[in-house]
């Protein structure tokens, strides 16, 4: 799990190195007294070190997604809000949240919101949703995939080479208490990079489970536009926020799906999360899958 964080931090923060000799531009209202002279390369190094030392964290995440088919046969919007607690040693996660869905053609009938609660621990994953009405225990194959993904730590130097093409689209800023990285680039630049990163970091088992159609959909995915905003605490160099907007099109069976997604996430309580344990009543009543 620690290396999963490295994938996120190294993958995005490597962009900073594209402007490695530049200091961060002050944002509007930033005080001169708190202005840092650290270069992007120095901030990157310190942020990567902080991510390697991360033992636990809480993450609050909002995800909005709109899906539209080219023939108007599908038009759907989902809004999800989740709060997550995670520890790295041992690997464990607790997540609770809700997803609301709106779909064209549903008429006046309102689609009920889906509340979900998940424990992911060493012996498997426990899941509860209103639709199921019971706790369900899944085997630890999902944990095996996470472990495999965690073991595939990217080489920051290799990522630097991949990210060099985006230097002109990058901004490196600072407020009184944060370093802020922003990237807003045309989607054409991202297509090859996304394909390469998925091929290198996605476990073979997950690709097999996706099947031929799922793999073809990934291969035939076009990024129309993508933007990131990533902030790091000036004192601790720990991750504070990670926001992403993406517009992509997936091609399959002579059809197209346009997917627009906005992700806002905020990190807190880093290295202060207590051990995550599944309550006894959940273990006792969970239905084996």
């Amino acid at each position: 799990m620690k290396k999963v964080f490295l994938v996120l931090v190294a993958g995005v923060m490597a962009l900073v190195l594209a402007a490695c000799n530049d200091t961060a531009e002050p944002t509007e209202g930033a005080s001169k007294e708190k202005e840092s002279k650290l270069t992007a390369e120095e901030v990157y190094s310190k942020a990567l070190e902080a991510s390697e030392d991360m033992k636990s964290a809480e993450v609050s995440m909002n995800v909005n997604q709109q899906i539209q088919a080219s023939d108007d046969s599908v038009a759907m919007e989902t809004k999800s809000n989740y709060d997550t607690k995670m520890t790295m040693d041992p690997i464990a996660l607790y997540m609770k949240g809700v997803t609301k869905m709106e779909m064209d053609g549903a008429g006046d009938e309102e689609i009920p919101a889906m509340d979900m609660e998940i424990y992911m621990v060493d012996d498997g994953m426990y899941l509860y949703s209103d639709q199921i009405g019971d706790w369900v225990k899944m085997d630890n194959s999902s944990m095996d995939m996470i472990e495999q993904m965690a073991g595939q730590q990217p080489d920051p130097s290799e990522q630097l080479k991949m990210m060099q093409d985006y230097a002109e689209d990058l901004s490196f800023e600072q407020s009184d208490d944060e370093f802020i990285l922003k990237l807003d680039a045309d989607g054409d630049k991202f297509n090859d990079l996304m394909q390469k990163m998925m091929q290198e970091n996605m476990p073979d088992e997950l690709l097999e489970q996706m099947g031929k159609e799922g793999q073809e959909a990934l291969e035939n995915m076009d990024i129309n536009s993508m933007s990131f905003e990533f902030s790091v605490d000036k004192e601790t160099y720990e991750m504070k926020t990670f926001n992403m907007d993406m517009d992509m099109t997936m091609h399959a069976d002579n059809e197209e799906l346009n997917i627009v997604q906005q992700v806002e996430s905020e990190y807190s309580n880093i290295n202060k999360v207590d051990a995550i344990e599944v309550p006894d009543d959940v273990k006792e009543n969970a239905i084996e899958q």
Side-chain angles (χ1 to χ4, degrees):
M1 184 71 77
K2 184 181 294 185
K3 291 183 180 179
V4 170
F5 270 88
L6 286 174
V7 171
L8 177 60
V9 175
V12 180
M13 285 299 293
L15 290 167
V16 176
L17 290 177
C20 59
N21 292 319
D22 296 333
T23 57
E25 290 292 329
T27 57
E28 185 176 352
S31 62
K32 192 72 175 176
E33 293 78 15
K34 295 185 178 181
E35 185 174 330
S36 171
K37 298 301 182 182
L38 291 178
T39 65
E41 183 175 14
E42 291 168 332
V43 171
Y44 166 80
S45 177
K46 292 177 180 293
L48 188 58
E49 183 179 349
S51 72
E52 291 172 337
D53 292 335
M54 187 182 293
K55 297 176 177 62
S56 65
E58 294 185 16
V59 187
S60 178
M61 181 177 292
N62 298 321
V63 180
N64 294 341
Q65 182 171 269
Q66 300 88 40
I67 301 176
Q68 177 76 50
S70 56
D71 60 0
D72 294 329
S73 61
V74 177
M76 179 173 63
E77 180 176 6
T78 58
K79 297 181 179 181
S80 301
N81 309 99
Y82 286 99
D83 291 320
T84 302
K85 295 181 180 181
M86 59 185 71
T87 61
M88 316 312 173
D89 187 16
I91 295 174
L93 177 147
Y94 171 71
M95 182 172 71
K96 185 175 183 180
V98 60
T99 295
K100 298 179 180 179
M101 181 182 299
E102 296 180 2
M103 184 179 296
D104 285 359
D108 295 331
E109 183 178 350
E110 184 176 344
I111 300 174
M114 182 174 68
D115 290 286
M116 185 175 293
E117 196 169 354
I118 294 173
Y119 287 93
M120 190 174 292
V121 291
D122 57 356
D123 70 335
M125 182 170 72
Y126 296 80
L127 180 147
Y128 179 89
S129 73
D130 289 346
Q131 281 70 17
I132 300 173
D134 289 297
W135 280 96
V136 173
K137 181 186 176 184
M138 302 178 183
D139 62 31
N140 57 12
S141 60
S142 57
M143 294 299 292
D144 292 340
M145 281 191 290
I146 288 177
E147 290 280 12
Q148 184 173 347
M149 291 180 70
Q152 297 180 0
Q153 181 178 352
D155 182 342
S157 64
E158 289 299 317
Q159 290 195 326
L160 171 58
K161 295 174 184 177
M162 289 192 292
M163 300 295 185
Q164 287 289 352
D165 292 340
Y166 311 116
E168 63 202 50
D169 306 300
L170 177 74
S171 68
F172 179 45
E173 303 174 345
Q174 60 177 308
S175 64
D176 285 349
D177 57 1
E178 297 175 342
F179 291 105
I180 305 162
L181 170 71
K182 294 181 180 180
L183 176 70
D184 190 353
D186 184 88
D188 289 342
K189 291 185 178 182
F190 284 100
N191 284 311
D192 291 341
L193 175 64
M194 290 292 289
Q195 291 293 338
K196 185 173 182 180
M197 291 182 72
M198 284 189 296
Q199 290 171 6
E200 291 181 352
N201 295 305
M202 191 171 291
D204 294 337
E205 288 86 349
L206 182 56
L207 289 172
E208 290 176 5
Q209 289 188 15
M210 292 175 63
K212 184 178 180 180
E213 291 185 359
Q215 294 178 39
E216 288 179 353
L218 285 178
E219 293 171 357
N220 294 301
M221 179 180 68
D222 292 327
I223 306 297
N224 303 316
S225 63
M226 182 178 286
S227 63
F228 295 96
E229 183 173 321
F230 181 96
S231 67
V232 174
D233 187 275
K234 267 189 172 181
E235 292 186 3
T236 64
Y237 301 96
E238 293 170 344
M239 189 189 318
K240 294 189 68 175
T241 61
F242 178 76
N243 303 324
M244 180 185 73
D245 289 349
M246 181 169 64
D247 184 323
M248 65 181 179
T249 302
M250 302 187 76
H251 310 268
D253 298 327
N254 298 318
E255 296 182 357
E256 292 185 354
L257 278 180
N258 179 244
I259 302 172
V260 178
Q261 188 176 78
Q262 301 91 33
V263 178
E264 296 179 353
S265 54
E266 183 175 349
Y267 290 75
S268 62
N269 211 23
I270 292 176
N271 295 333
K272 297 177 182 177
V273 176
D274 293 332
I276 296 170
E277 298 179 351
V278 182
D280 290 338
D281 63 324
V282 172
K283 287 184 176 182
E284 293 169 2
N285 298 315
I287 300 170
E288 298 274 352
Q289 292 288 313

mmCIF file with all atom_site columns, all heavy atoms in Angstrom, residues 183-196:
data_model
loop_
_atom_site.group_PDB
_atom_site.id
_atom_site.type_symbol
_atom_site.label_atom_id
_atom_site.label_alt_id
_atom_site.label_comp_id
_atom_site.label_asym_id
_atom_site.label_entity_id
_atom_site.label_seq_id
_atom_site.pdbx_PDB_ins_code
_atom_site.Cartn_x
_atom_site.Cartn_y
_atom_site.Cartn_z
_atom_site.occupancy
_atom_site.B_iso_or_equiv
_atom_site.pdbx_formal_charge
_atom_site.auth_seq_id
_atom_site.auth_comp_id
_atom_site.auth_asym_id
_atom_site.auth_atom_id
_atom_site.pdbx_PDB_model_num
ATOM 1   N N   . LEU A 1 183 ? -1.479 21.246 -13.678 1.00 0.00 ? 183 LEU A N   1
ATOM 2   C CA  . LEU A 1 183 ? -1.215 20.807 -15.045 1.00 0.00 ? 183 LEU A CA  1
ATOM 3   C C   . LEU A 1 183 ? -2.532 20.812 -15.793 1.00 0.00 ? 183 LEU A C   1
ATOM 4   O O   . LEU A 1 183 ? -3.511 20.211 -15.366 1.00 0.00 ? 183 LEU A O   1
ATOM 5   C CB  . LEU A 1 183 ? -0.617 19.400 -15.068 1.00 0.00 ? 183 LEU A CB  1
ATOM 6   C CG  . LEU A 1 183 ? -0.387 18.816 -16.463 1.00 0.00 ? 183 LEU A CG  1
ATOM 7   C CD1 . LEU A 1 183 ? 0.745  19.557 -17.164 1.00 0.00 ? 183 LEU A CD1 1
ATOM 8   C CD2 . LEU A 1 183 ? -0.077 17.343 -16.385 1.00 0.00 ? 183 LEU A CD2 1
ATOM 9   N N   . ASP A 1 184 ? -2.554 21.504 -16.914 1.00 0.00 ? 184 ASP A N   1
ATOM 10  C CA  . ASP A 1 184 ? -3.757 21.574 -17.745 1.00 0.00 ? 184 ASP A CA  1
ATOM 11  C C   . ASP A 1 184 ? -3.301 21.473 -19.190 1.00 0.00 ? 184 ASP A C   1
ATOM 12  O O   . ASP A 1 184 ? -2.778 22.424 -19.748 1.00 0.00 ? 184 ASP A O   1
ATOM 13  C CB  . ASP A 1 184 ? -4.494 22.894 -17.491 1.00 0.00 ? 184 ASP A CB  1
ATOM 14  C CG  . ASP A 1 184 ? -5.865 22.930 -18.127 1.00 0.00 ? 184 ASP A CG  1
ATOM 15  O OD1 . ASP A 1 184 ? -6.186 21.982 -18.875 1.00 0.00 ? 184 ASP A OD1 1
ATOM 16  O OD2 . ASP A 1 184 ? -6.622 23.887 -17.887 1.00 0.00 ? 184 ASP A OD2 1
ATOM 17  N N   . ALA A 1 185 ? -3.490 20.288 -19.760 1.00 0.00 ? 185 ALA A N   1
ATOM 18  C CA  . ALA A 1 185 ? -2.920 20.049 -21.083 1.00 0.00 ? 185 ALA A CA  1
ATOM 19  C C   . ALA A 1 185 ? -3.924 19.394 -22.008 1.00 0.00 ? 185 ALA A C   1
ATOM 20  O O   . ALA A 1 185 ? -4.884 18.755 -21.575 1.00 0.00 ? 185 ALA A O   1
ATOM 21  C CB  . ALA A 1 185 ? -1.672 19.173 -20.983 1.00 0.00 ? 185 ALA A CB  1
ATOM 22  N N   . ASP A 1 186 ? -3.679 19.559 -23.287 1.00 0.00 ? 186 ASP A N   1
ATOM 23  C CA  . ASP A 1 186 ? -4.492 18.929 -24.322 1.00 0.00 ? 186 ASP A CA  1
ATOM 24  C C   . ASP A 1 186 ? -4.421 17.411 -24.194 1.00 0.00 ? 186 ASP A C   1
ATOM 25  O O   . ASP A 1 186 ? -3.365 16.848 -23.922 1.00 0.00 ? 186 ASP A O   1
ATOM 26  C CB  . ASP A 1 186 ? -3.991 19.369 -25.702 1.00 0.00 ? 186 ASP A CB  1
ATOM 27  C CG  . ASP A 1 186 ? -4.858 18.813 -26.801 1.00 0.00 ? 186 ASP A CG  1
ATOM 28  O OD1 . ASP A 1 186 ? -5.853 19.450 -27.153 1.00 0.00 ? 186 ASP A OD1 1
ATOM 29  O OD2 . ASP A 1 186 ? -4.534 17.718 -27.285 1.00 0.00 ? 186 ASP A OD2 1
ATOM 30  N N   . GLY A 1 187 ? -5.541 16.761 -24.381 1.00 0.00 ? 187 GLY A N   1
ATOM 31  C CA  . GLY A 1 187 ? -5.600 15.320 -24.168 1.00 0.00 ? 187 GLY A CA  1
ATOM 32  C C   . GLY A 1 187 ? -4.730 14.496 -25.095 1.00 0.00 ? 187 GLY A C   1
ATOM 33  O O   . GLY A 1 187 ? -4.338 13.378 -24.739 1.00 0.00 ? 187 GLY A O   1
ATOM 34  N N   . ASP A 1 188 ? -4.430 15.002 -26.283 1.00 0.00 ? 188 ASP A N   1
ATOM 35  C CA  . ASP A 1 188 ? -3.624 14.223 -27.234 1.00 0.00 ? 188 ASP A CA  1
ATOM 36  C C   . ASP A 1 188 ? -2.286 13.817 -26.629 1.00 0.00 ? 188 ASP A C   1
ATOM 37  O O   . ASP A 1 188 ? -1.773 12.734 -26.899 1.00 0.00 ? 188 ASP A O   1
ATOM 38  C CB  . ASP A 1 188 ? -3.386 15.021 -28.521 1.00 0.00 ? 188 ASP A CB  1
ATOM 39  C CG  . ASP A 1 188 ? -4.657 15.141 -29.350 1.00 0.00 ? 188 ASP A CG  1
ATOM 40  O OD1 . ASP A 1 188 ? -5.586 14.331 -29.113 1.00 0.00 ? 188 ASP A OD1 1
ATOM 41  O OD2 . ASP A 1 188 ? -4.724 16.028 -30.214 1.00 0.00 ? 188 ASP A OD2 1
ATOM 42  N N   . LYS A 1 189 ? -1.729 14.680 -25.806 1.00 0.00 ? 189 LYS A N   1
ATOM 43  C CA  . LYS A 1 189 ? -0.426 14.385 -25.216 1.00 0.00 ? 189 LYS A CA  1
ATOM 44  C C   . LYS A 1 189 ? -0.495 13.225 -24.217 1.00 0.00 ? 189 LYS A C   1
ATOM 45  O O   . LYS A 1 189 ? 0.494  12.556 -23.963 1.00 0.00 ? 189 LYS A O   1
ATOM 46  C CB  . LYS A 1 189 ? 0.122  15.620 -24.497 1.00 0.00 ? 189 LYS A CB  1
ATOM 47  C CG  . LYS A 1 189 ? 0.527  16.761 -25.418 1.00 0.00 ? 189 LYS A CG  1
ATOM 48  C CD  . LYS A 1 189 ? 1.165  17.865 -24.607 1.00 0.00 ? 189 LYS A CD  1
ATOM 49  C CE  . LYS A 1 189 ? 1.636  19.000 -25.502 1.00 0.00 ? 189 LYS A CE  1
ATOM 50  N NZ  . LYS A 1 189 ? 2.294  20.066 -24.726 1.00 0.00 ? 189 LYS A NZ  1
ATOM 51  N N   . PHE A 1 190 ? -1.675 13.015 -23.645 1.00 0.00 ? 190 PHE A N   1
ATOM 52  C CA  . PHE A 1 190 ? -1.794 12.043 -22.577 1.00 0.00 ? 190 PHE A CA  1
ATOM 53  C C   . PHE A 1 190 ? -2.065 10.620 -23.044 1.00 0.00 ? 190 PHE A C   1
ATOM 54  O O   . PHE A 1 190 ? -1.864 9.669  -22.293 1.00 0.00 ? 190 PHE A O   1
ATOM 55  C CB  . PHE A 1 190 ? -2.921 12.446 -21.617 1.00 0.00 ? 190 PHE A CB  1
ATOM 56  C CG  . PHE A 1 190 ? -2.548 13.565 -20.686 1.00 0.00 ? 190 PHE A CG  1
ATOM 57  C CD1 . PHE A 1 190 ? -2.941 14.858 -20.951 1.00 0.00 ? 190 PHE A CD1 1
ATOM 58  C CD2 . PHE A 1 190 ? -1.802 13.315 -19.555 1.00 0.00 ? 190 PHE A CD2 1
ATOM 59  C CE1 . PHE A 1 190 ? -2.618 15.886 -20.096 1.00 0.00 ? 190 PHE A CE1 1
ATOM 60  C CE2 . PHE A 1 190 ? -1.464 14.339 -18.690 1.00 0.00 ? 190 PHE A CE2 1
ATOM 61  C CZ  . PHE A 1 190 ? -1.872 15.626 -18.953 1.00 0.00 ? 190 PHE A CZ  1
ATOM 62  N N   . ASN A 1 191 ? -2.536 10.456 -24.262 1.00 0.00 ? 191 ASN A N   1
ATOM 63  C CA  . ASN A 1 191 ? -2.991 9.130  -24.671 1.00 0.00 ? 191 ASN A CA  1
ATOM 64  C C   . ASN A 1 191 ? -1.904 8.072  -24.592 1.00 0.00 ? 191 ASN A C   1
ATOM 65  O O   . ASN A 1 191 ? -2.085 7.006  -24.001 1.00 0.00 ? 191 ASN A O   1
ATOM 66  C CB  . ASN A 1 191 ? -3.580 9.193  -26.087 1.00 0.00 ? 191 ASN A CB  1
ATOM 67  C CG  . ASN A 1 191 ? -4.966 9.812  -26.098 1.00 0.00 ? 191 ASN A CG  1
ATOM 68  O OD1 . ASN A 1 191 ? -5.825 9.431  -25.317 1.00 0.00 ? 191 ASN A OD1 1
ATOM 69  N ND2 . ASN A 1 191 ? -5.176 10.783 -26.968 1.00 0.00 ? 191 ASN A ND2 1
ATOM 70  N N   . ASP A 1 192 ? -0.763 8.358  -25.189 1.00 0.00 ? 192 ASP A N   1
ATOM 71  C CA  . ASP A 1 192 ? 0.336  7.375  -25.171 1.00 0.00 ? 192 ASP A CA  1
ATOM 72  C C   . ASP A 1 192 ? 0.822  7.142  -23.749 1.00 0.00 ? 192 ASP A C   1
ATOM 73  O O   . ASP A 1 192 ? 1.127  6.009  -23.359 1.00 0.00 ? 192 ASP A O   1
ATOM 74  C CB  . ASP A 1 192 ? 1.496  7.854  -26.051 1.00 0.00 ? 192 ASP A CB  1
ATOM 75  C CG  . ASP A 1 192 ? 1.133  7.828  -27.528 1.00 0.00 ? 192 ASP A CG  1
ATOM 76  O OD1 . ASP A 1 192 ? 0.161  7.116  -27.885 1.00 0.00 ? 192 ASP A OD1 1
ATOM 77  O OD2 . ASP A 1 192 ? 1.808  8.507  -28.316 1.00 0.00 ? 192 ASP A OD2 1
ATOM 78  N N   . LEU A 1 193 ? 0.914  8.224  -22.966 1.00 0.00 ? 193 LEU A N   1
ATOM 79  C CA  . LEU A 1 193 ? 1.376  8.102  -21.578 1.00 0.00 ? 193 LEU A CA  1
ATOM 80  C C   . LEU A 1 193 ? 0.427  7.233  -20.761 1.00 0.00 ? 193 LEU A C   1
ATOM 81  O O   . LEU A 1 193 ? 0.860  6.348  -20.020 1.00 0.00 ? 193 LEU A O   1
ATOM 82  C CB  . LEU A 1 193 ? 1.496  9.485  -20.947 1.00 0.00 ? 193 LEU A CB  1
ATOM 83  C CG  . LEU A 1 193 ? 1.856  9.504  -19.459 1.00 0.00 ? 193 LEU A CG  1
ATOM 84  C CD1 . LEU A 1 193 ? 3.239  8.924  -19.233 1.00 0.00 ? 193 LEU A CD1 1
ATOM 85  C CD2 . LEU A 1 193 ? 1.767  10.921 -18.910 1.00 0.00 ? 193 LEU A CD2 1
ATOM 86  N N   . MET A 1 194 ? -0.875 7.456  -20.888 1.00 0.00 ? 194 MET A N   1
ATOM 87  C CA  . MET A 1 194 ? -1.851 6.683  -20.123 1.00 0.00 ? 194 MET A CA  1
ATOM 88  C C   . MET A 1 194 ? -1.779 5.210  -20.488 1.00 0.00 ? 194 MET A C   1
ATOM 89  O O   . MET A 1 194 ? -1.813 4.334  -19.620 1.00 0.00 ? 194 MET A O   1
ATOM 90  C CB  . MET A 1 194 ? -3.257 7.227  -20.390 1.00 0.00 ? 194 MET A CB  1
ATOM 91  C CG  . MET A 1 194 ? -3.513 8.596  -19.783 1.00 0.00 ? 194 MET A CG  1
ATOM 92  S SD  . MET A 1 194 ? -3.543 8.573  -17.974 1.00 0.00 ? 194 MET A SD  1
ATOM 93  C CE  . MET A 1 194 ? -5.088 7.717  -17.685 1.00 0.00 ? 194 MET A CE  1
ATOM 94  N N   . GLN A 1 195 ? -1.661 4.915  -21.773 1.00 0.00 ? 195 GLN A N   1
ATOM 95  C CA  . GLN A 1 195 ? -1.568 3.523  -22.202 1.00 0.00 ? 195 GLN A CA  1
ATOM 96  C C   . GLN A 1 195 ? -0.319 2.864  -21.622 1.00 0.00 ? 195 GLN A C   1
ATOM 97  O O   . GLN A 1 195 ? -0.360 1.728  -21.134 1.00 0.00 ? 195 GLN A O   1
ATOM 98  C CB  . GLN A 1 195 ? -1.535 3.443  -23.738 1.00 0.00 ? 195 GLN A CB  1
ATOM 99  C CG  . GLN A 1 195 ? -2.834 3.828  -24.411 1.00 0.00 ? 195 GLN A CG  1
ATOM 100 C CD  . GLN A 1 195 ? -3.955 2.843  -24.139 1.00 0.00 ? 195 GLN A CD  1
ATOM 101 O OE1 . GLN A 1 195 ? -3.714 1.693  -23.793 1.00 0.00 ? 195 GLN A OE1 1
ATOM 102 N NE2 . GLN A 1 195 ? -5.189 3.295  -24.289 1.00 0.00 ? 195 GLN A NE2 1
ATOM 103 N N   . LYS A 1 196 ? 0.791  3.586  -21.643 1.00 0.00 ? 196 LYS A N   1
ATOM 104 C CA  . LYS A 1 196 ? 2.040  3.031  -21.139 1.00 0.00 ? 196 LYS A CA  1
ATOM 105 C C   . LYS A 1 196 ? 1.967  2.789  -19.638 1.00 0.00 ? 196 LYS A C   1
ATOM 106 O O   . LYS A 1 196 ? 2.406  1.741  -19.135 1.00 0.00 ? 196 LYS A O   1
ATOM 107 C CB  . LYS A 1 196 ? 3.202  3.966  -21.466 1.00 0.00 ? 196 LYS A CB  1
ATOM 108 C CG  . LYS A 1 196 ? 4.567  3.416  -21.078 1.00 0.00 ? 196 LYS A CG  1
ATOM 109 C CD  . LYS A 1 196 ? 5.681  4.317  -21.578 1.00 0.00 ? 196 LYS A CD  1
ATOM 110 C CE  . LYS A 1 196 ? 7.042  3.731  -21.224 1.00 0.00 ? 196 LYS A CE  1
ATOM 111 N NZ  . LYS A 1 196 ? 8.155  4.581  -21.697 1.00 0.00 ? 196 LYS A NZ  1
#
